[in-house]
Amino acid sequence: MKEQQLLRQIATLKAQVKAAERTPTTTTTTEPIVTTETTTGEKTGAEEEGQGLVVNEDKIVVLVVTYRRADHLRRCVETLLDHLPYYKNLEIVISQDGADSSVAAVAREYENKYQNIFFLQNEDRGPIPKTAANENKGYYYIARHFGIALNYAFDVAQADYTIIIEEDLEIAPDFFSYMLATRYLLSVDPTLFCVSAWNDNGRPGLVHNATHLYRSDFFPGLGWMLHANMWKELAPKWPIAYWDDWLREPQQRQGRACIFPEISRTYTFGLNDGTSHGQWADKFLKPIILNKENIEWDEIDLQTLLKDKYDEKLIKDIQGSTLVDMKSVDRYQDQTLFVEYTRREQAAAYFGLMPDEKAGVARTSYMDVITFWRGTNKIFLAAVGTYNNFKKL
């Protein structure tokens, strides 16, 4: 009964948008999404794509967090403008931590040029708690900045959903289509925490299909969306440092999952000059594939991502898979295979997966199973004994 109620809610919401709020794609509008500039050659959002204007009550804020990389900020904002949809109730907020004049100049340039872009500056960084001698203070400033920026997006700008983008990310052509379509899941499925555009294992040879989406018990970040109700829960206890790892802790996640795509909808180009100084950069981040297909996500059935439906299919797929030894995988073609390990780091190294975990959860895993592709084979990877446990369900 609960599953059917969720399905009806999603169907109703999507029908309302399509039937009552979307104008025909042939309609010409004189009100571009973000710009007051109509001079020939200037960008006018999705006008170049011939898309119709979407009018919706949901307030969407795209939060661009930046510090002192002006060139990165410009590249990031340009890629947002390149793919921005016609969605009337959408704002871009550029939030700067500190007073770097070159960054502020870029932010003000966009704010002055586009009517739906706003500049938020936190000039007074102030003191932070005393840290260990060798600890990077940047993580404290970043956590505080994210808290200030998210408070602004949800409490001042009154966002229903906020999409968080760091200054060194570029987006795929269907990034906004993906985010706008999946936002309904956050409002109707209480077992979901966020929607992310990033796959930690989205490298060549590990991914297969641009329309595949997954649930994960690991918070991916790097282009993600949060619902206002979730922020109300998180805001009072927002951490003083390491905000992303904090989100991955059981006390915050509370068994909830994130949605992420098989092929990433963001790409990080600031690999070596950020606070983490390029951790994992060359081996795991640089090869990430950025999707190039313009998928119309509102035409794809996303109800399969609701927990009951998703879990049922996952269990069925695992029960129908073939248990094989790790080193025999390449003997198969077009099969669904289950591989068990005694040491996850060894298995990750063999398959080229990111090896670490946070709060006991491996990157991209769901129900303790990591899903990826190896050539034409779909692989489920988990600890010894997991296969038999699924067989018993």
Side-chain angles (χ1 to χ4, degrees), residues 39-110:
T39 305
T40 302
E42 295 290 344
K43 292 175 183 170
T44 57
E47 190 173 39
E48 298 169 0
E49 301 295 328
Q51 298 173 3
L53 176 65
V54 178
V55 183
N56 194 285
E57 292 182 358
D58 286 340
K59 174 70 172 293
I60 310 292
V61 168
V62 180
L63 188 61
V64 182
V65 291
T66 183
Y67 175 36
R68 59 182 182 187
R69 298 183 288 181
D71 291 343
H72 287 8
L73 175 61
R74 184 179 296 280
R75 177 174 171 181
C76 175
V77 176
E78 285 297 315
T79 189
L80 293 177
L81 294 175
D82 282 344
H83 303 301
L84 201 66
Y86 268 171
Y87 185 94
K88 188 175 181 65
N89 210 8
L90 183 148
E91 296 176 358
I92 295 176
V93 175
I94 301 173
S95 179
Q96 180 190 4
D97 193 27
D100 185 278
S101 59
S102 61
V103 169
V106 171
R108 289 195 179 96
E109 174 189 328
Y110 285 110

Coordinates of all heavy atoms in Angstrom, one line a residue, residues 39-110:
T39 N 21.4 41.2 -26.4 CA 22.2 41.6 -27.6 C 22.6 40.3 -28.4 O 22.9 39.3 -27.8 CB 23.4 42.3 -27.1 OG1 23.0 43.4 -26.3 CG2 24.2 42.8 -28.3
T40 N 22.6 40.4 -29.7 CA 23.0 39.3 -30.5 C 24.3 38.7 -30.1 O 25.3 39.5 -29.9 CB 23.1 39.8 -32.0 OG1 21.8 40.3 -32.4 CG2 23.4 38.6 -32.9
G41 N 24.4 37.4 -29.9 CA 25.6 36.8 -29.6 C 25.7 36.5 -28.1 O 26.5 35.6 -27.7
E42 N 24.9 37.1 -27.3 CA 24.9 36.8 -25.8 C 24.1 35.6 -25.5 O 23.1 35.3 -26.2 CB 24.4 38.0 -25.0 CG 25.3 39.3 -25.2 CD 26.6 39.1 -24.5 OE1 26.8 38.2 -23.7 OE2 27.5 39.9 -24.8
K43 N 24.4 34.9 -24.5 CA 23.7 33.7 -24.0 C 22.3 34.1 -23.5 O 22.2 35.1 -22.8 CB 24.5 33.0 -23.0 CG 25.7 32.3 -23.5 CD 26.5 31.7 -22.5 CE 27.8 31.1 -23.0 NZ 28.7 30.7 -21.9
T44 N 21.3 33.3 -23.7 CA 20.0 33.5 -23.1 C 19.5 32.1 -22.6 O 18.5 31.6 -22.9 CB 19.0 34.0 -24.1 OG1 18.9 33.1 -25.3 CG2 19.4 35.4 -24.6
G45 N 20.4 31.5 -21.8 CA 20.0 30.3 -21.1 C 19.8 29.2 -22.2 O 20.5 29.0 -23.1
A46 N 18.6 28.5 -22.0 CA 18.3 27.3 -22.9 C 17.6 27.8 -24.2 O 17.2 27.0 -25.0 CB 17.5 26.3 -22.2
E47 N 17.6 29.1 -24.4 CA 16.9 29.6 -25.6 C 17.5 29.0 -26.9 O 16.8 28.7 -27.8 CB 17.0 31.1 -25.7 CG 16.2 31.8 -26.7 CD 16.2 33.3 -26.6 OE1 17.3 33.8 -26.3 OE2 15.2 33.9 -26.8
E48 N 18.9 28.8 -26.8 CA 19.6 28.2 -28.0 C 19.1 26.8 -28.3 O 19.2 26.3 -29.4 CB 21.1 28.3 -27.7 CG 21.6 29.7 -27.6 CD 23.0 29.7 -27.1 OE1 23.6 28.6 -26.9 OE2 23.6 30.8 -26.9
E49 N 18.6 26.1 -27.2 CA 18.2 24.7 -27.4 C 16.7 24.6 -27.9 O 16.2 23.6 -28.1 CB 18.3 24.0 -26.1 CG 19.7 24.0 -25.5 CD 20.7 23.2 -26.4 OE1 20.3 22.3 -27.1 OE2 21.9 23.6 -26.5
G50 N 16.0 25.8 -27.9 CA 14.6 25.7 -28.3 C 13.7 25.1 -27.3 O 12.6 24.7 -27.6
Q51 N 14.1 25.1 -26.0 CA 13.3 24.5 -25.0 C 12.2 25.4 -24.6 O 12.3 26.6 -24.7 CB 14.1 24.1 -23.8 CG 15.2 23.0 -24.2 CD 16.1 22.8 -23.0 OE1 16.0 23.3 -21.9 NE2 17.1 22.0 -23.2
G52 N 11.1 24.9 -24.1 CA 10.0 25.7 -23.6 C 10.2 26.1 -22.2 O 11.1 25.6 -21.5
L53 N 9.5 27.2 -21.8 CA 9.7 27.7 -20.4 C 8.9 26.8 -19.4 O 7.7 26.6 -19.6 CB 9.1 29.1 -20.4 CG 9.1 29.8 -19.0 CD1 10.5 30.0 -18.5 CD2 8.4 31.1 -19.1
V54 N 9.6 26.4 -18.4 CA 8.9 25.6 -17.4 C 8.6 26.5 -16.2 O 9.5 27.1 -15.6 CB 9.9 24.4 -16.9 CG1 9.2 23.6 -15.8 CG2 10.2 23.5 -18.1
V55 N 7.4 26.6 -15.8 CA 7.0 27.4 -14.7 C 6.5 26.4 -13.6 O 5.7 25.6 -13.8 CB 5.8 28.3 -15.1 CG1 5.4 29.2 -13.9 CG2 6.1 29.1 -16.3
N56 N 7.2 26.5 -12.4 CA 6.9 25.5 -11.4 C 7.0 26.2 -10.1 O 7.8 27.1 -9.9 CB 7.9 24.4 -11.5 CG 7.5 23.2 -10.7 OD1 7.6 23.2 -9.4 ND2 7.0 22.2 -11.3
E57 N 6.2 25.8 -9.1 CA 6.2 26.4 -7.8 C 7.5 26.0 -7.0 O 7.9 26.8 -6.1 CB 5.0 25.9 -7.0 CG 3.7 26.5 -7.6 CD 2.5 26.0 -6.8 OE1 2.7 25.3 -5.8 OE2 1.4 26.4 -7.1
D58 N 8.1 24.9 -7.3 CA 9.4 24.6 -6.6 C 10.4 25.6 -6.8 O 10.8 25.9 -8.0 CB 9.9 23.2 -7.1 CG 9.1 22.0 -6.5 OD1 8.4 22.2 -5.5 OD2 9.1 20.9 -7.1
K59 N 11.0 26.1 -5.8 CA 12.1 27.1 -5.9 C 13.4 26.3 -5.9 O 13.7 25.5 -5.0 CB 12.1 28.0 -4.7 CG 13.3 29.0 -4.6 CD 13.3 30.0 -5.7 CE 14.3 31.1 -5.5 NZ 14.1 31.9 -4.4
I60 N 14.2 26.4 -7.0 CA 15.5 25.7 -7.1 C 16.6 26.8 -7.0 O 16.6 27.8 -7.7 CB 15.6 25.0 -8.5 CG1 14.4 24.2 -8.8 CG2 16.9 24.2 -8.5 CD1 14.2 23.0 -7.9
V61 N 17.6 26.5 -6.1 CA 18.8 27.3 -6.0 C 20.0 26.5 -6.4 O 20.2 25.4 -5.9 CB 19.0 27.9 -4.6 CG1 20.4 28.5 -4.5 CG2 17.9 29.0 -4.3
V62 N 20.7 27.0 -7.3 CA 22.0 26.4 -7.7 C 23.1 27.1 -7.0 O 23.3 28.3 -7.2 CB 22.3 26.4 -9.2 CG1 23.6 25.7 -9.5 CG2 21.1 25.7 -10.0
L63 N 23.7 26.5 -6.0 CA 24.7 27.1 -5.1 C 26.1 26.8 -5.6 O 26.5 25.7 -5.6 CB 24.5 26.6 -3.7 CG 25.2 27.3 -2.6 CD1 24.9 28.7 -2.4 CD2 24.9 26.6 -1.2
V64 N 26.8 27.8 -6.1 CA 28.2 27.7 -6.5 C 29.1 28.2 -5.4 O 29.2 29.4 -5.1 CB 28.4 28.5 -7.8 CG1 29.9 28.2 -8.3 CG2 27.4 28.0 -8.9
V65 N 29.8 27.3 -4.8 CA 30.7 27.7 -3.7 C 32.1 27.9 -4.2 O 32.6 27.0 -5.0 CB 30.7 26.6 -2.5 CG1 29.4 26.6 -1.8 CG2 31.0 25.2 -3.1
T66 N 32.7 29.0 -3.8 CA 34.0 29.4 -4.4 C 34.9 30.0 -3.3 O 34.4 30.5 -2.3 CB 33.8 30.3 -5.6 OG1 35.1 30.6 -6.2 CG2 33.1 31.6 -5.2
Y67 N 36.2 30.0 -3.6 CA 37.1 30.6 -2.6 C 38.0 31.6 -3.4 O 37.8 32.8 -3.3 CB 37.9 29.5 -1.9 CG 39.0 30.0 -1.0 CD1 38.8 31.2 -0.2 CD2 40.2 29.3 -0.9 CE1 39.8 31.6 0.6 CE2 41.2 29.7 0.0 CZ 41.0 30.9 0.8 OH 42.0 31.3 1.6
R68 N 39.1 31.1 -4.0 CA 40.0 32.1 -4.6 C 40.5 31.6 -6.0 O 41.7 31.9 -6.4 CB 41.2 32.3 -3.7 CG 42.0 31.0 -3.3 CD 43.1 31.4 -2.3 NE 43.9 30.2 -2.0 CZ 44.9 30.2 -1.1 NH1 45.1 31.3 -0.4 NH2 45.5 29.1 -0.8
R69 N 39.7 30.8 -6.7 CA 40.1 30.4 -8.1 C 39.2 31.0 -9.1 O 38.2 30.4 -9.5 CB 40.1 28.9 -8.1 CG 41.1 28.2 -7.2 CD 41.2 26.7 -7.3 NE 39.9 26.1 -6.7 CZ 39.7 24.8 -6.7 NH1 40.7 23.9 -7.2 NH2 38.6 24.3 -6.2
A70 N 39.5 32.2 -9.5 CA 38.6 33.0 -10.4 C 38.4 32.3 -11.7 O 37.3 32.3 -12.2 CB 39.2 34.4 -10.5
D71 N 39.5 31.8 -12.3 CA 39.4 31.2 -13.6 C 38.5 29.9 -13.5 O 37.7 29.7 -14.4 CB 40.7 30.8 -14.1 CG 41.6 32.0 -14.5 OD1 41.0 33.1 -14.6 OD2 42.8 31.8 -14.6
H72 N 38.6 29.2 -12.4 CA 37.7 28.0 -12.2 C 36.3 28.4 -12.1 O 35.4 27.8 -12.7 CB 38.2 27.3 -11.0 CG 39.4 26.5 -11.1 ND1 40.2 26.6 -12.2 CD2 40.0 25.6 -10.3 CE1 41.3 25.8 -12.0 NE2 41.2 25.2 -10.9
L73 N 36.0 29.5 -11.3 CA 34.7 30.0 -11.1 C 34.0 30.4 -12.5 O 32.9 30.0 -12.8 CB 34.7 31.2 -10.2 CG 33.3 31.9 -10.0 CD1 32.3 30.9 -9.4 CD2 33.4 33.1 -9.1
R74 N 34.8 31.1 -13.3 CA 34.3 31.5 -14.6 C 33.9 30.2 -15.5 O 32.9 30.2 -16.1 CB 35.2 32.4 -15.3 CG 34.7 32.9 -16.7 CD 35.7 33.8 -17.4 NE 36.0 35.0 -16.6 CZ 35.2 36.1 -16.6 NH1 34.1 36.1 -17.3 NH2 35.5 37.1 -15.8
R75 N 34.8 29.3 -15.5 CA 34.6 28.1 -16.3 C 33.4 27.3 -15.8 O 32.5 26.9 -16.5 CB 35.8 27.2 -16.2 CG 35.7 25.9 -17.0 CD 36.9 25.1 -17.0 NE 36.8 23.7 -17.6 CZ 37.7 22.8 -17.7 NH1 39.0 23.2 -17.3 NH2 37.5 21.6 -18.1
C76 N 33.2 27.3 -14.4 CA 32.1 26.6 -13.8 C 30.8 27.3 -14.2 O 29.8 26.6 -14.6 CB 32.3 26.5 -12.3 SG 30.8 25.8 -11.4
V77 N 30.7 28.6 -14.0 CA 29.5 29.3 -14.3 C 29.1 29.2 -15.8 O 27.9 29.1 -16.2 CB 29.6 30.8 -13.8 CG1 28.3 31.6 -14.2 CG2 29.7 30.8 -12.3
E78 N 30.1 29.3 -16.6 CA 29.9 29.2 -18.1 C 29.2 27.9 -18.5 O 28.3 27.8 -19.3 CB 31.2 29.5 -18.9 CG 31.6 30.9 -18.9 CD 30.6 31.8 -19.6 OE1 30.1 31.4 -20.7 OE2 30.3 32.9 -19.1
T79 N 29.7 26.8 -17.8 CA 29.1 25.5 -18.2 C 27.7 25.4 -17.6 O 26.9 24.8 -18.3 CB 30.0 24.3 -17.6 OG1 29.5 23.1 -18.2 CG2 30.0 24.2 -16.1
L80 N 27.4 26.1 -16.5 CA 26.0 26.1 -16.0 C 25.2 26.8 -17.0 O 24.1 26.4 -17.4 CB 26.0 26.8 -14.7 CG 26.6 26.0 -13.5 CD1 26.6 26.9 -12.2 CD2 26.0 24.7 -13.2
L81 N 25.6 28.0 -17.5 CA 24.8 28.8 -18.4 C 24.7 28.1 -19.8 O 23.6 28.2 -20.4 CB 25.5 30.1 -18.7 CG 25.5 31.1 -17.4 CD1 26.3 32.3 -17.8 CD2 24.1 31.4 -17.0
D82 N 25.7 27.3 -20.2 CA 25.6 26.6 -21.4 C 24.4 25.6 -21.4 O 23.8 25.3 -22.5 CB 26.9 25.8 -21.7 CG 28.0 26.7 -22.2 OD1 27.7 27.8 -22.6 OD2 29.2 26.3 -22.2
H83 N 24.1 25.0 -20.3 CA 23.1 23.9 -20.2 C 21.9 24.3 -19.3 O 21.1 23.4 -19.1 CB 23.8 22.7 -19.6 CG 25.0 22.2 -20.4 ND1 24.9 21.9 -21.7 CD2 26.3 22.1 -20.0 CE1 26.1 21.5 -22.2 NE2 27.0 21.6 -21.2
L84 N 21.8 25.5 -19.0 CA 20.7 26.0 -18.1 C 19.4 25.8 -18.8 O 19.2 26.2 -19.9 CB 20.9 27.4 -17.7 CG 20.2 27.9 -16.4 CD1 20.7 27.2 -15.2 CD2 20.3 29.4 -16.2
P85 N 18.4 25.2 -18.1 CA 17.1 25.0 -18.7 C 16.2 26.3 -18.6 O 16.5 27.2 -17.7 CB 16.5 23.9 -17.9 CG 17.0 24.1 -16.6 CD 18.4 24.6 -16.8
Y86 N 15.1 26.4 -19.3 CA 14.1 27.4 -19.0 C 13.3 26.9 -17.8 O 12.4 26.1 -18.0 CB 13.2 27.7 -20.2 CG 13.7 28.8 -21.1 CD1 13.2 29.0 -22.3 CD2 14.8 29.6 -20.7 CE1 13.6 30.0 -23.2 CE2 15.2 30.6 -21.5 CZ 14.6 30.8 -22.7 OH 15.1 31.8 -23.5
Y87 N 13.6 27.4 -16.7 CA 12.9 27.0 -15.5 C 12.7 28.3 -14.7 O 13.7 28.9 -14.2 CB 13.6 26.0 -14.7 CG 12.9 25.5 -13.5 CD1 12.1 24.3 -13.5 CD2 13.0 26.1 -12.2 CE1 11.4 23.8 -12.4 CE2 12.3 25.7 -11.1 CZ 11.5 24.5 -11.2 OH 10.8 24.1 -10.1
K88 N 11.5 28.8 -14.6 CA 11.3 30.2 -14.1 C 11.7 30.4 -12.7 O 12.3 31.5 -12.4 CB 9.8 30.5 -14.3 CG 9.4 32.0 -14.0 CD 8.0 32.3 -14.2 CE 7.6 33.7 -14.0 NZ 8.3 34.6 -14.9
N89 N 11.5 29.5 -11.8 CA 11.8 29.7 -10.4 C 13.2 29.1 -10.0 O 13.3 28.3 -9.1 CB 10.7 29.0 -9.6 CG 10.5 29.7 -8.3 OD1 11.1 30.8 -8.0 ND2 9.7 29.2 -7.4
L90 N 14.2 29.5 -10.8 CA 15.6 29.0 -10.5 C 16.5 30.2 -10.4 O 16.5 31.1 -11.1 CB 16.0 28.0 -11.6 CG 17.4 27.4 -11.5 CD1 17.4 26.0 -12.2 CD2 18.5 28.2 -12.1
E91 N 17.4 30.1 -9.4 CA 18.4 31.1 -9.2 C 19.8 30.4 -9.0 O 19.9 29.3 -8.5 CB 18.1 31.9 -7.9 CG 16.8 32.7 -7.9 CD 16.6 33.4 -6.6 OE1 17.4 33.2 -5.6 OE2 15.6 34.1 -6.5
I92 N 20.8 31.2 -9.5 CA 22.2 30.8 -9.2 C 22.7 31.7 -8.2 O 22.7 32.9 -8.3 CB 23.0 30.8 -10.5 CG1 22.5 29.8 -11.5 CG2 24.5 30.6 -10.2 CD1 23.2 29.8 -12.8
V93 N 23.2 31.2 -7.1 CA 23.9 31.9 -6.0 C 25.4 31.6 -6.0 O 25.7 30.4 -5.7 CB 23.2 31.7 -4.7 CG1 24.0 32.4 -3.6 CG2 21.8 32.1 -4.7
I94 N 26.2 32.6 -6.3 CA 27.7 32.4 -6.2 C 28.1 32.8 -4.8 O 27.9 33.9 -4.4 CB 28.4 33.2 -7.2 CG1 28.0 32.8 -8.6 CG2 29.9 33.0 -7.0 CD1 28.5 33.7 -9.7
S95 N 28.5 31.8 -4.0 CA 28.9 32.1 -2.6 C 30.4 32.0 -2.5 O 31.0 31.0 -2.6 CB 28.3 31.1 -1.7 OG 28.6 31.3 -0.3
Q96 N 31.0 33.2 -2.1 CA 32.5 33.3 -2.0 C 32.9 33.3 -0.5 O 32.3 34.0 0.3 CB 33.0 34.5 -2.7 CG 34.5 34.6 -2.6 CD 35.1 36.0 -3.0 OE1 34.3 36.9 -3.3 NE2 36.4 36.1 -3.0
D97 N 33.9 32.5 -0.2 CA 34.5 32.5 1.2 C 35.7 33.4 1.1 O 36.6 33.1 0.3 CB 34.8 31.1 1.6 CG 35.1 31.1 3.1 OD1 34.6 31.9 3.9 OD2 35.8 30.1 3.5
G98 N 35.8 34.4 1.9 CA 37.0 35.3 1.8 C 36.8 36.5 0.9 O 35.7 36.7 0.4
A99 N 37.8 37.2 0.7 CA 37.7 38.5 -0.1 C 38.6 38.6 -1.3 O 39.1 39.7 -1.7 CB 38.0 39.6 0.9
D100 N 38.9 37.5 -1.9 CA 39.8 37.5 -3.1 C 39.1 38.4 -4.1 O 38.0 38.1 -4.6 CB 40.0 36.1 -3.6 CG 40.9 36.0 -4.8 OD1 40.5 36.3 -5.9 OD2 42.1 35.7 -4.6
S101 N 39.8 39.4 -4.5 CA 39.2 40.4 -5.4 C 39.0 39.9 -6.8 O 38.0 40.3 -7.4 CB 40.2 41.7 -5.5 OG 41.4 41.3 -6.0
S102 N 39.8 39.0 -7.3 CA 39.6 38.5 -8.7 C 38.3 37.6 -8.7 O 37.5 37.7 -9.7 CB 40.8 37.7 -9.1 OG 41.0 36.6 -8.3
V103 N 38.1 36.8 -7.7 CA 36.9 36.0 -7.6 C 35.7 36.9 -7.4 O 34.6 36.7 -8.1 CB 37.0 35.0 -6.4 CG1 35.6 34.4 -6.1 CG2 38.0 34.0 -6.7
A104 N 35.7 37.9 -6.6 CA 34.6 38.8 -6.4 C 34.3 39.5 -7.7 O 33.1 39.8 -8.0 CB 34.9 39.8 -5.3
A105 N 35.3 39.9 -8.4 CA 35.0 40.6 -9.7 C 34.3 39.7 -10.7 O 33.4 40.2 -11.4 CB 36.4 41.1 -10.3
V106 N 34.7 38.5 -10.8 CA 34.0 37.5 -11.7 C 32.5 37.4 -11.2 O 31.6 37.4 -12.0 CB 34.7 36.2 -11.7 CG1 33.8 35.1 -12.5 CG2 36.0 36.3 -12.4
A107 N 32.3 37.2 -9.9 CA 31.0 37.0 -9.4 C 30.1 38.2 -9.6 O 28.9 38.0 -10.0 CB 31.1 36.7 -7.9
R108 N 30.6 39.4 -9.4 CA 29.8 40.6 -9.6 C 29.5 40.8 -11.1 O 28.5 41.3 -11.5 CB 30.6 41.8 -9.0 CG 30.6 41.8 -7.5 CD 31.0 43.2 -7.0 NE 31.0 43.2 -5.5 CZ 32.1 43.0 -4.8 NH1 33.3 42.8 -5.3 NH2 32.0 43.0 -3.4
E109 N 30.5 40.4 -11.9 CA 30.2 40.5 -13.4 C 29.0 39.7 -13.8 O 28.1 40.2 -14.5 CB 31.4 40.0 -14.1 CG 31.3 39.9 -15.6 CD 32.4 39.2 -16.3 OE1 33.6 39.3 -15.8 OE2 32.2 38.5 -17.3
Y110 N 28.9 38.5 -13.3 CA 27.7 37.7 -13.6 C 26.4 38.2 -12.9 O 25.4 38.2 -13.5 CB 27.9 36.2 -13.2 CG 28.9 35.5 -14.1 CD1 30.1 35.1 -13.7 CD2 28.5 35.1 -15.4 CE1 31.0 34.4 -14.6 CE2 29.3 34.5 -16.3 CZ 30.6 34.1 -15.9 OH 31.4 33.5 -16.7

